[in-house]
Amino acid sequence: MRTTSFFVALALSFVATTLNASDWSDGSDYQHYYQSLPTPVAQVTPFTVPALSVSITDFGAKGDGATLCTEAIQRAIDDVSSKGGGHVNIPEGVWLTAPIELRSNIDLHLDKNAILLLTPDKSLHLSAPGKSSRCKPGIGANKCKNISITGGGVINGNGQYWRPVKRSKMSDVEWKEYKRMGGSVTDDGQLWYPWDMANGSPNIADTREKQENMRQDLVRLTNCENILVEGVTIENSPRFHLHPCNSRNIIIDGVTVRSEWNVQNGDGIDLSDCSQCLVVNSTVSVGDDGICMKSSAERANAVNNGTSDILIDNCTVNHAHGGFVVGSNTVTAIRNIVVRHCRFIDTDTGLRFKSGIGNGGRTENIHISHIVMANIKSEAIIFQCDYANMQAGSNAEAVKKEQEAKIKAGERIPEFQDIHIDNVTCTGCQTGIRANGITGTNAIHNIDINNSTITYHGKATDIDATTASLKQNNVRLVSSKNAK
């Protein structure tokens, strides 16, 4: 099955590349992506940084993989910033670093043979030593303008030193490799924590569970305007990989995001309360959601409240919990989104809309079209309103009772509505379409699915008509037993 799906993925990627090569040839001009959209979406605006260019080696950095380069890299960034901005170049080599912070008008450029590697020493990631509730992101920025991360190099988060792993998701060989790193296994033998590691890196919390909650994103850009991430590979994050938050005018072009399929909370590209965003020509293969839209509670002085004006085009997602995902946080509305010409292969679900009481909000004007899927583990399209974020080792019964209490209180009820899905082809899934709302609410309505063919091997649909209203027009749900 995996061999077959590999060749399917290769074929789909080849077709997309050959058919659309002319469409994606001019990376400096993004206007052509906005042609023939089903709904108006605010376009991104390209920007530039000053021409000044320095190398981190000019500030004493050594790319030997053993010398900690944090101070040298940060001094290079700060020096260029003090001169009005420019390009900070990371040349060929392995550059070991603790978290670094970008400034306005800075381009962090990684040469093709450069690896920026986060140190496994957790104590060097603390935002306030001895007082942190969460660590710094590997690459961070806050309230910056005109920032970019470009080039053909790799940013690696050394995530295996941060994430718990489940025995059920590990082969015997993988499980032994994790135990060789040291760590701590729960009494039932089902969960490994990176606690008391053999490399001598100190623990940074009182318990392994508290330490697990402190892990941070690899790239997190907050309250920023004008962001470009282009060409780089972002991999093996402690938590989410590429996570712009409360930011505006974002271009993500030709980026590779990847981790092992079985890592905890390893989202690929998350846009949280962001607007005016373009995600194109990128490939994601991770252990949690692939390309995900989120919206949290309204915040004072935020660049955005809510997620809006997003265009996602010509992207591939392999091995993720969902290809394109909305949620679980949808609190301050998610609206004006177009997703088209994308491929989802070997993902758990294809189009995934998930939220729950307490994290719910309204969706509006979402258009998804020309999506091809192969070898989907569960649902091709799913709407879920009882989702709860379960940390590793969480008590499922306690979480369930908490959700029930929120339902009774009527807290932030999800409303998935005004979603339009067209021209989806899926070959191989367990269930074609699943939708389950919340009794007594209008959580799922005004959804239409058109001109699509889904081949399933379990159930055609699992739709609770009493809590979810979906319209289907020219949708073929074909049992794999009858497919020819």
Side-chain angles (χ1 to χ4, degrees), residues 254-281:
V255 171
T256 299
V257 181
R258 65 189 183 198
S259 70
E260 295 300 323
W261 71 271
N262 47 16
V263 306
Q264 291 291 123
N265 307 114
D267 286 20
I269 299 172
D270 280 8
L271 298 176
S272 297
D273 291 295
C274 291
S275 68
Q276 203 173 336
C277 308
L278 178 67
V279 182
V280 292
N281 314 320

Side-chain angles (χ1 to χ4, degrees), residues 68-209:
L68 193 66
C69 301
T70 317
E71 183 179 347
I73 297 172
Q74 194 64 58
R75 281 196 293 114
I77 292 171
D78 293 345
D79 182 75
V80 173
S81 176
S82 70
K83 297 173 181 176
H87 305 267
V88 176
N89 295 315
I90 300 179
E92 177 178 332
V94 179
W95 310 90
L96 187 67
T97 184
I100 57 175
E101 295 184 15
L102 300 181
R103 311 294 186 209
S104 292
N105 298 307
I106 292 293
D107 168 43
L108 187 69
H109 184 86
L110 288 85
D111 285 357
K112 187 174 183 178
N113 213 29
I115 300 176
L116 188 66
L117 180 66
L118 269 290
T119 174
D121 187 343
K122 299 183 186 71
S123 66
L124 299 180
H125 294 249
L126 294 170
S127 55
K131 300 179 181 179
S132 297
S133 60
R134 181 171 284 181
C135 294
K136 295 180 181 180
I139 298 176
N142 185 39
K143 297 181 179 178
C144 293
K145 291 186 177 181
N146 306 330
I147 56 175
S148 59
I149 303 171
T150 63
V154 175
I155 303 168
N156 187 298
N158 246 331
Q160 67 273 19
Y161 290 94
W162 292 88
R163 302 181 302 257
V165 295
K166 295 178 180 179
R167 179 65 182 92
S168 60
K169 291 185 175 182
M170 295 282 128
S171 67
D172 290 344
V173 172
E174 290 173 308
W175 188 247
K176 288 178 181 178
E177 183 62 22
Y178 272 100
K179 292 177 70 175
R180 183 194 64 78
M181 295 169 58
S184 171
V185 178
T186 54
D187 292 341
D188 61 5
Q190 296 304 304
L191 191 62
W192 176 92
Y193 284 94
W195 180 263
D196 292 339
M197 298 294 280
N199 69 345
S201 174
N203 300 318
I204 56 173
D206 297 335
T207 68
R208 59 192 183 186
E209 291 80 11

Side-chain angles (χ1 to χ4, degrees), residues 46-60:
F47 62 92
T48 60
V49 300
L52 175 64
S53 180
V54 304
S55 171
I56 59 173
T57 58
D58 298 335
F59 294 81

Side-chain angles (χ1 to χ4, degrees), residues 419-440:
I419 299 171
H420 313 282
I421 300 170
D422 188 44
N423 274 287
V424 170
T425 302
C426 176
T427 175
C429 64
Q430 175 67 25
T431 302
I433 304 169
R434 178 185 168 197
N436 299 95
I438 302 170
T439 301

Side-chain angles (χ1 to χ4, degrees), residues 65 92 357 453:
E92 177 178 332
I357 300 293
T453 301

